[in-house]
């Protein structure tokens, strides 16, 4: 089992930036990739970005391409740099570990989430 802890959420004005962090521990060798998802009130959880631990290949949802960047370091941390934030980016953001995919079923371990609120 992989344990994931997110941090870095908060309140920011539209056009601003935030960086989310996710620290992985436990059986991290069992996970091939890490991802970020988000869920707004009343909506389904949706894919944001994913990265492979080795090699660093990445993929993004169309809605965040060019604004968000996912990265990782050697200390089993994954980051989501969010720039040019929009009110529609407001959501709970969740870190996940699993396969290199873009669906909920690709990821078997999840963090508790961190709230991002973008004011207009």
């Amino acid at each position: 089992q992989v344990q994931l802890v997110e941090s870095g959420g908060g309140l920011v004005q539209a056009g601003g930036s935030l960086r989310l962090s996710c620290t992985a521990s436990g059986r991290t060798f069992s996970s091939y990739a890490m991802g970020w998802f988000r869920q707004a009130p009343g909506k389904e959880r949706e894919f944001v970005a994913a990265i492979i631990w080795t090699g660093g290949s990445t993929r993004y949802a169309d809605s965040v391409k060019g604004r968000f960047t996912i990265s990782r370091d050697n200390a089993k941390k994954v980051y989501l740099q969010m720039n040019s934030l929009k009110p529609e980016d407001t959501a709970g953001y969740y870190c996940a570990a699993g396969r290199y995919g873009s669906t909920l079923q690709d990821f078997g371990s999840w963090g508790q989430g961190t709230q991002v609120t973008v004011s207009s």
Side-chain angles (χ1 to χ4, degrees), residues 6 17 20 22 24 37 39 44 46 55 58 60 73 93 96 98 106 113:
E6 305 96 334
S17 299
L20 305 183
C22 173
F37 285 73
Q39 187 168 19
E44 294 184 351
E46 65 176 8
T58 59
Y60 296 92
D73 64 18
Y93 282 71
D106 288 315

Side-chain angles (χ1 to χ4, degrees), residues 27 40 59 73 92 95-96:
R27 296 171 60 89
R59 59 176 22 147
D73 64 18
C95 179

Side-chain angles (χ1 to χ4, degrees), residues 14-59:
S17 299
L18 279 175
R19 190 177 82 152
L20 305 183
S21 299
C22 173
T23 301
S25 60
R27 296 171 60 89
T28 56
F29 59 84
S30 64
S31 298
Y32 180 65
M34 298 290 291
W36 285 97
F37 285 73
R38 66 186 181 186
Q39 187 168 19
K43 294 189 177 181
E44 294 184 351
R45 191 168 296 190
E46 65 176 8
F47 171 75
V48 174
I51 188 168
I52 298 177
W53 275 122
T54 57
S57 294
T58 59
R59 59 176 22 147

Side-chain angles (χ1 to χ4, degrees), residues 30 54 57 62 71 75-76 80 84 90 114-115:
S30 64
T54 57
S57 294
D62 288 342
S71 61
K76 291 302 182 183
L80 186 68
S84 302
T90 295
T114 185
Q115 179 66 33

Side-chain angles (χ1 to χ4, degrees), residues 42-103:
K43 294 189 177 181
E44 294 184 351
R45 191 168 296 190
E46 65 176 8
F47 171 75
V48 174
I51 188 168
I52 298 177
W53 275 122
T54 57
S57 294
T58 59
R59 59 176 22 147
Y60 296 92
D62 288 342
S63 59
V64 306
K65 278 181 182 177
R67 300 189 299 122
F68 291 11
T69 303
I70 189 171
S71 61
R72 86 278 187 257
D73 64 18
N74 293 329
K76 291 302 182 183
K77 285 190 174 182
V78 178
Y79 305 96
L80 186 68
Q81 178 66 44
M82 305 185 294
N83 299 327
S84 302
L85 282 161
K86 305 175 181 180
E88 51 263 44
D89 295 318
T90 295
Y93 282 71
Y94 298 85
C95 179
R99 299 194 299 261
Y100 185 54
S102 59
T103 70

